[in-house]
Amino acid sequence: MLFLQYHNCDDCNMSKKTTANIKLKDLFSKEQCKKVEAAFMRNFQMSLEITDIEGREVRSFCSPKCHPAFCKRIRTSKTGLHRCRQDRLRSLNISIETGQPYITVCHAGIVLGCVPIMESDLPLGGLFFGKSAWEPFDEDIESDIQKRLQGLRFGAGDIRNALRKLPVISARRIHEAAEFLYILFYQNTDLDPQVIQWRRQRSMQQSRISEVIQETKLLDSTETYPYELECQLIAKVKIGDRTGAKEILNSLLGRILFNNPGNINLLKARLVELLSVLSRAAAMGGVDINILLNKNLIYINKVLTINTQEDICIWISHALDEFIESVYTSQDAKKMQQLKPAVEFMQTNYEHPLMLPDIAKAVHLSVSRLAHLFREQMGVTVVDYLTNIRINHAKRMLLTTDNNCTRICYEVGYNNQSYFTRVFKQITGLTPRQFRNQNKRK
């Protein structure tokens, strides 16, 4: 797997120096562009405006009606045209930096979507679409738009008539169009989307980590390192559960960053330790230890050369992918793959009163075979694993809902509150009520 270096804002700074000699028509054809436009119009009834990196229209690539009457009216003013271009430059900067579509409300008060155009790490321009209203116009919206247009000499009647002709498109539909166009464009051109996809993954990961940090603020814990999450991550790596492992990794990173905000050296130290943990997990999953030692040395050297928090986080996620891929190809991969359906079944059905025979039947294994594989590969019993899933969900519900303990007991799969309380206390050291009172902020 190729690990891409982060390109900071200077790389997508709309610099004439990097893009002056590159034209969009040199990188994809008018025919390719028309194919994208036709498919987009067919599915979403929206036209496309294509600009270069400086926010200037490339008219030969634009749809014939890329500007509705309202936009045309605004652009007849020199000031209006300047504001439109500034909107595009701003949207280009954000979409290229994050590697994903960007949707905003333009200076004139209507929706504007942007999909970035990049060739590898080189920013080239953008696809603009969705010039519409979120909701039907009324007096309040019209008044807001009139205020936005102060300084532009237009008659109120002209603006009102143009506004009434704009399509009304829901926010959900605009977001669906953005995702569709993003995929459609890169599938139908010869541009290399590798860097932009990496940036998008980085942005999505940082969004999830931010959510974890906000959730962690609800806790009043003195724990400096989430060893419980580390153990869960090891279990996911051992069975080759890529999706589950990434979710836990992001939670782990969020907790580390919450406890040590802005301390990149400590983050590096924690991740060097984590790489060793992942190596051991992969070894337990059947991967040759000599292969892992070589990988680990490369990974550790790599971590030490990265100097931004965001890049370290996405890089460790890619390293996790490689560890899991190693497990998949190991000699014990078949055993781990037999366990994966059982793990997934428990994760999606924990709220039901499951017994060991129920789980074995669902994954087409005998009870003895399932119990043996689980103990051998996971180091815990099936019942213990299911119990941990239930208690973790109960802890989250105690902190994020106002449901009483009895209701939570039933919602996580127990039918006896006394037994639920006893199990909860065995694992956490507190009763459910004590856990809520001690950890939930007033």
Side-chain angles (χ1 to χ4, degrees):
M1 179 179 294
L2 174 65
F3 294 111
L4 300 167
Q5 289 291 330
Y6 170 63
H7 298 271
N8 64 30
C9 197
D10 291 337
D11 294 326
C12 57
N13 198 25
M14 313 311 161
S15 169
K16 293 181 181 179
K17 194 173 181 179
T18 42
T19 60
N21 297 321
I22 298 177
K23 296 181 180 180
L24 294 179
K25 67 180 182 180
D26 297 328
L27 296 171
F28 56 91
S29 68
K30 188 181 294 186
E31 288 70 28
Q32 288 174 313
C33 190
K34 293 301 179 185
K35 185 178 179 181
V36 171
E37 178 193 347
F40 190 58
M41 176 63 75
R42 185 168 59 250
N43 285 274
F44 290 93
Q45 295 74 53
M46 298 181 197
S47 57
L48 290 178
E49 173 194 349
I50 301 181
T51 77
D52 62 17
I53 199 63
E54 295 181 339
R56 295 178 302 210
E57 249 181 66
V58 182
R59 293 187 179 179
S60 61
F61 284 165
C62 294
S63 302
K65 297 181 180 179
C66 65
H67 298 301
F70 176 76
C71 295
K72 286 182 178 179
R73 190 74 181 90
I74 299 299
R75 294 165 74 92
T76 59
S77 160
K78 186 175 180 180
T79 301
L81 183 61
H82 174 73
R83 292 179 184 176
C84 288
R85 187 176 172 194
Q86 290 302 307
D87 276 336
R88 280 146 184 76
L89 286 172
R90 190 179 304 109
S91 296
L92 285 169
N93 268 303
I94 294 172
S95 64
I96 288 169
E97 176 64 17
T98 60
Q100 57 188 340
Y102 177 68
I103 299 168
T104 186
V105 174
C106 77
H107 73 97
I110 67 170
V111 179
L112 183 68
C114 175
V115 168
I117 299 175
M118 292 184 68
E119 166 66 356
S120 187
D121 62 345
L122 184 64
L124 299 170
L127 302 145
F128 290 88
F129 67 96
K131 298 161 188 176
S132 59
W134 294 116
E135 55 187 355
F137 286 102
D138 56 25
E139 290 183 2
D140 290 336
I141 294 175
E142 188 175 320
S143 174
D144 175 66
I145 289 177
Q146 292 287 0
K147 290 178 182 176
R148 288 172 175 269
L149 298 179
Q150 285 181 356
L152 304 181
R153 296 181 179 179
F154 299 124
D158 288 345
I159 293 300
R160 185 181 299 110
N161 292 334
L163 281 173
R164 300 294 176 184
K165 294 178 182 178
L166 281 172
V168 176
I169 305 175
S170 69
R172 179 177 179 179
R173 186 67 173 165
I174 290 289
H175 283 280
E176 289 173 351
E179 291 298 319
F180 181 87
L181 182 59
Y182 178 93
I183 295 169
L184 177 69
F185 180 76
Y186 284 98
Q187 282 182 341
N188 284 276
T189 60
D190 299 320
L191 298 181
D192 179 5
Q194 197 169 47
V195 170
I196 197 170
Q197 288 175 352
W198 176 81
R199 289 184 179 182
R200 189 177 202 198
Q201 290 170 4
R202 185 189 64 189
S203 297
M204 294 172 71
Q205 183 188 43
Q206 286 301 306
S207 176
R208 176 57 191 140
I209 289 174
S210 295
E211 290 175 4
V212 172
I213 290 173
Q214 291 303 314
E215 291 168 4
T216 306
K217 288 180 180 178
L218 294 172
L219 301 171
D220 188 21
S221 174
T222 57
E223 183 182 44
T224 57
Y225 184 77
Y227 289 102
E228 179 185 342
L229 286 175
E230 186 179 280
C231 293
Q232 293 176 23
L233 181 61
I234 291 171
K236 294 293 185 183
V237 172
K238 286 168 65 178
I239 64 169
D241 182 355
R242 192 185 308 272
T243 302
K246 283 194 173 182
E247 182 64 25
I248 293 172
L249 175 65
N250 290 338
S251 296
L252 188 65
L253 292 170
R255 297 278 285 276
I256 293 172
L257 293 171
F258 174 78
N259 289 321
N260 307 280
N263 192 334
I264 193 166
N265 289 327
L266 183 56
L267 176 62
K268 287 183 179 183
R270 289 295 191 192
L271 294 188
V272 167
E273 294 174 8
L274 185 59
L275 285 168
S276 298
V277 170
L278 293 175
S279 292
R280 290 195 295 273
M284 288 186 281
V287 183
D288 187 318
I289 190 65
N290 292 315
I291 294 174
L292 290 172
L293 288 173
N294 289 331
K295 281 183 179 290
N296 220 27
L297 180 60
I298 295 170
Y299 291 158
I300 289 171
N301 289 333
K302 186 70 175 179
V303 166
L304 298 177
T305 65
I306 302 175
N307 294 314
T308 69
Q309 170 185 304
E310 293 84 358
D311 294 329
I312 290 176
C313 290
I314 193 62
W315 184 86
I316 200 73
S317 180
H318 285 297
L320 177 65
D321 274 335
E322 284 216 342
F323 279 119
I324 291 176
E325 189 62 32
S326 298
V327 173
Y328 273 134
T329 57
S330 72
Q331 59 182 358
D332 286 339
K334 186 175 179 180
K335 290 182 181 179
M336 291 300 182
Q337 285 301 100
Q338 284 182 295
L339 283 183
K340 188 175 179 181
V343 171
E344 291 175 346
F345 181 77
M346 286 186 280
Q347 289 173 337
T348 55
N349 294 278
Y350 66 89
E351 71 273 20
H352 302 298
L354 298 177
M355 303 292 287
L356 185 57
D358 300 322
I359 301 168
K361 183 179 179 180
V363 299
H364 310 293
L365 290 174
S366 69
V367 170
S368 60
R369 178 62 174 166
L370 176 63
H372 173 75
L373 280 175
F374 227 90
R375 171 72 75 174
E376 177 187 61
Q377 302 296 329
M378 303 290 285
V380 295
T381 67
V382 178
V383 173
D384 286 344
Y385 192 88
L386 177 60
T387 298
N388 277 317
I389 291 175
R390 286 171 165 168
I391 297 305
N392 284 334
H393 279 282
K395 287 160 67 176
R396 182 159 49 252
M397 293 173 72
L398 285 164
L399 297 177
T400 60
T401 75
D402 293 323
N403 295 346
N404 60 41
C405 295
T406 301
R407 180 174 175 180
I408 291 174
C409 160
Y410 286 102
E411 288 188 355
V412 298
Y414 292 98
N415 55 19
N416 183 303
Q417 187 177 353
S418 296
Y419 179 68
F420 165 65
T421 299
R422 186 164 66 252
V423 171
F424 192 97
K425 187 171 184 179
Q426 284 175 350
I427 292 176
T428 67
L430 300 168
T431 66
R433 186 169 285 103
Q434 289 171 336
F435 180 85
R436 170 177 273 171
N437 292 338
Q438 182 170 311
N439 292 293
K440 193 169 185 179
R441 290 185 181 273
K442 303 296 183 182

